[in-house]
Amino acid sequence: MNMAFCAFRKSFKLFKWWVFLRPFSVMLIVVVMVGVLLLVQTKMKDFRHKNGVFVQFDVQEKVGMENLEPMKVQNGSSEAEILSTSVSPYHDWELFAANYEEMMKKLKIFVYPDAFMSNNSSIFSSIFLPHTDPFDPKLGNYFSEHMFKIALLGSAFVTKKPEEAHFYFMPFSINVMRNHPRVHSASAIKDFVAGYTDRVRSEFEFWNASGGADHFYVYCHSIGRDAASKHHELHHNSIQVTCSSSYFQRLYIAHKDIGLPQVWPRQHEEVLNPPDARYKLVFFAGRVQNSLARRDLLEQWKNDSSFDIFSGSSSFPYREGFRRSRYCLHVKGYEVNTARVSDAIQHGCVPVLISNYYDLPLANILDWSKFSVIVNERDIRHLKKILLSVPVRTYLNMYKNLGIVRRHFAWYSSPKTYDSFHMTVYQLWYRRGLHRVTW
């Protein structure tokens, strides 16, 4: 009996201790769980999303100057060189090359006759005719718009038989309209484009076969983004080929419209500086007006000695900034696009794209993560950490890939295979599966 009573007392004491310690055990479990969550959250701060892939930042492996081995990159790369690249800049080069060859044999484009009128036949003739001096430096940001028209009119893609055409080109120039004495205002440009579209629809039967879905127009001027706003079918059905390819713009439809590489006039190809000659981490020069992202960039990094950051013009030749830097920033200004992307590519400086909602040109062909770094605007404060965390081999692969893709971001007086003209035309070919009335 006494033994049973003693056993009961011991059990009762253990029970009291358990009741007493139970809240503390629960608290201990909670503390451990919170600690684990905080640890996970801390680790996740060292991740950033790049083109659908999470990349962990390892600040221990930096792209140091002493680790950058010399590398020579040529502008033209053979198919064997492309396929042998350890990290190809293409999603699927063989598939693209096969489709490209088919395009070269079959694609036909009908150009409305306004592009061939006499210079004196109308006060509006300059709006439709090709530019007489496309390499004029004054064209600047609108160079691609004019070069596309010149290249197309001189190409074998143009057909005089509209019934065999895959697409129909409406040859008006937004850039010329903007400087035309009778059509220079935003409202007048909208009215002119709507009126011209109605004339095309009434005078030719091609529009009604597809509701305008196989028609396209090209522009780089920012005011062009609203040019189609007064014509319902032109906006909803036709293809706009534009430098201002932004998901955020209400009149831009990503699966329908096409991003045009924005390129400044450039007569000669650049000889690339090797990686070991690039002693600056970052270069950027540009106006900060109308750009919160650029103001944040300047405020955060203007005093960092590894960054060449300038509000406005740089203190040295602009070209030199690209040649001596490893990374060159494209930061959203008034629009998502600037020619800095193609400038960086042409000079072998890895582009850092800080421009939310930018529908990158040729993204269905090129894997931009293999030759550029994409950073969300909200992560500008982490920019240096992001760039220093890029492994040396990754940087060298990106640098090498710039030498492969740079031909896609260049215009020539006489178009060359895989240049900006042919790559843009390929984007049309890619969209050729349209339903239309049989002629």
Side-chain angles (χ1 to χ4, degrees), residues 133-161:
D133 185 14
F135 284 91
D136 182 351
K138 294 180 180 179
L139 283 182
N141 289 326
Y142 318 119
F143 176 65
S144 294
E145 173 182 325
H146 295 286
M147 284 302 293
F148 179 89
K149 184 188 297 186
I150 293 171
L152 176 62
L153 296 182
S155 74
F157 295 127
V158 174
T159 178
K160 295 182 179 179
K161 300 177 180 180

Side-chain angles (χ1 to χ4, degrees), residues 392-411:
V392 174
R393 179 49 51 189
T394 300
Y395 167 76
L396 293 174
N397 280 333
M398 288 194 290
Y399 174 82
K400 183 176 181 179
N401 283 336
L402 291 177
I404 296 174
V405 304
R406 67 194 301 224
R407 59 181 173 170
H408 306 320
F409 296 86
W411 297 90

Side-chain angles (χ1 to χ4, degrees), residues 77-85 93 400 404:
S77 299
S78 67
E79 181 173 347
E81 289 174 324
I82 292 170
L83 294 176
S84 65
T85 302
W93 165 259
K400 183 176 181 179
I404 296 174

Side-chain angles (χ1 to χ4, degrees), residues 112-131 145-146 149 170-185 187-193 195-196 199:
Y112 281 103
D114 307 88
F116 306 102
M117 70 170 72
S118 168
N119 191 39
N120 300 319
S121 61
S122 168
I123 59 173
F124 300 114
S125 60
S126 62
I127 293 175
F128 300 100
L129 294 174
H131 200 284
E145 173 182 325
H146 295 286
K149 184 188 297 186
M170 305 172 74
F172 55 79
S173 169
I174 301 296
N175 175 228
V176 174
M177 284 190 220
R178 188 60 169 160
N179 296 285
H180 197 283
R182 298 193 178 215
V183 203
H184 61 85
S185 71
S187 178
I189 290 174
K190 295 176 188 177
D191 291 335
F192 185 93
V193 171
Y196 177 73
R199 179 165 71 84

Side-chain angles (χ1 to χ4, degrees), residues 26-42:
V26 173
M27 290 175 63
L28 181 61
I29 293 172
V30 171
V31 168
V32 171
M33 291 178 65
V34 169
V36 171
L37 289 174
L38 288 174
L39 181 62
V40 171
Q41 186 179 19
T42 301

